[in-house]
Amino acid sequence: MPVYGAWSTSYTPEQVALLYNAIDAAGITNEMSQYDKCVAINNYVCAVMTYTQSSKDNPAFGTGDGLCVLQGGGRGMCIHYADLYQTMCEAIGITCKIAEGVTPDPNTGEMKMSHAWDAVFIDGKVYYVDPTWNDTAAGNRYLMSEILWPDHMF
């Protein structure tokens, strides 16, 4: 069982248990490198979340809180994917911040679609992770990149 990092939260005991269960289900162990833990968290988030733009699919949708969305059935938008990824990283002691910016409009290609992804900080390096876009046919193309992808912009 992993040793969980020190973090503060306003989560209920049930939500904390859900978070720790999620970390265990992701296969996180103390023997893993921080990099490998980040990959495992991405894979877990992609396995349990389903993308939707409809709030009727989940009562916690409007919160922007990935753990609440997971608790409510795992259907959410990019902010929910990014938040769940960040929450899991922070719970095991890995610094992670949500990055917000724009991506291409699928109809015009213009960089104007609001989007959220994550920035992970390991050993003085920044790695970008987009669990939402990794949860597509592209697979893990947006995983642990030291350079922000050309189709993402702050």
Side-chain angles (χ1 to χ4, degrees):
M1 175 168 287
V3 175
Y4 304 107
W7 55 291
S8 62
T9 180
S10 59
Y11 289 130
T12 66
E14 294 80 16
Q15 290 170 320
V16 171
L18 177 66
L19 175 59
Y20 289 165
N21 288 338
I23 292 166
D24 290 340
I28 304 296
T29 67
N30 288 332
E31 294 73 32
M32 296 170 77
S33 68
Q34 287 189 322
Y35 186 99
D36 289 340
K37 290 175 183 178
C38 289
V39 171
I41 291 170
N42 171 80
N43 293 341
Y44 174 81
V45 170
C46 291
V48 300
M49 294 288 291
T50 302
Y51 187 83
T52 185
Q53 292 184 341
S54 174
S55 60
K56 69 179 180 178
D57 291 330
N58 192 325
F61 191 85
T63 67
D65 184 320
L67 189 59
C68 289
V69 168
L70 178 61
Q71 189 175 26
R75 297 183 62 81
M77 293 177 63
C78 60
I79 190 63
H80 304 113
Y81 279 75
D83 185 76
L84 179 58
Y85 186 91
Q86 178 194 31
T87 301
M88 290 179 72
C89 284
E90 295 282 340
I92 60 171
I94 298 172
T95 302
C96 179
K97 302 297 179 195
I98 295 175
E100 295 185 44
V102 293
T103 57
D105 180 305
N107 298 316
T108 66
E110 291 179 67
M111 295 293 283
K112 66 178 190 175
M113 299 295 295
S114 295
H115 189 56
W117 59 92
D118 295 282
V120 179
F121 301 86
I122 301 174
D123 297 327
K125 292 183 179 178
V126 178
Y127 296 93
Y128 297 104
V129 179
D130 188 337
T132 309
W133 283 23
N134 287 335
D135 194 18
T136 65
N140 284 341
R141 180 173 162 210
Y142 297 91
L143 180 60
M144 301 304 284
S145 175
E146 292 183 50
I147 300 168
L148 188 62
W149 312 282
D151 52 8
H152 288 61
M153 186 172 32
F154 292 109

